Amino acid sequence: MELIMINENKLKITLSVCDMKQYCLDCSTIDYDNTETRRAFWSILDEVKHQTGFDAASQKVFIQLYPSKEGGCEMYVTKLGEK
């Protein structure tokens, strides 16, 4: 997992194929209404918080997901403000 802080409210997360397998994610079937997808996202964001201090749990967030050619994906997490 590669993490790039774009600014204090936006983070880019690059997940490799191995990362996707670890979190049981597949770009073609990701659905936030699915409990397993939500659990995987929040697990990733918890790891991100420990590594960078970027706390997505304290605010509303917007998550964009783009599949990569190699089979992983890029996630952009933007904090939108208070819950």
Side-chain angles (χ1 to χ4, degrees):
M1 180 173 6
E2 180 184 347
L3 308 172
I4 299 173
M5 292 291 297
I6 296 171
N7 61 41
E8 66 182 29
N9 292 314
K10 191 167 191 168
L11 174 73
K12 176 183 175 184
I13 304 167
T14 304
L15 299 174
S16 68
V17 173
C18 292
D19 295 326
M20 297 287 284
K21 287 180 183 177
Q22 176 186 344
Y23 290 106
C24 300
L25 291 173
D26 180 333
C27 287
S28 64
T29 60
I30 287 177
D31 178 1
Y32 197 72
D33 286 335
N34 177 287
T35 302
E36 294 302 317
T37 299
R38 281 197 311 274
R39 186 176 294 132
F41 280 177
W42 287 106
S43 181
I44 291 166
L45 293 174
D46 188 48
E47 179 65 27
V48 164
K49 181 180 176 182
H50 290 296
Q51 289 187 29
T52 67
F54 186 88
D55 185 5
S58 64
Q59 299 182 24
K60 290 182 183 179
V61 294
F62 179 62
I63 299 174
Q64 297 167 282
L65 186 89
Y66 301 97
S68 69
K69 293 177 185 175
E70 298 80 29
C73 73
E74 293 180 350
M75 282 176 56
Y76 291 86
V77 181
T78 306
K79 294 191 277 188
L80 300 175
E82 299 299 320
K83 285 187 174 180

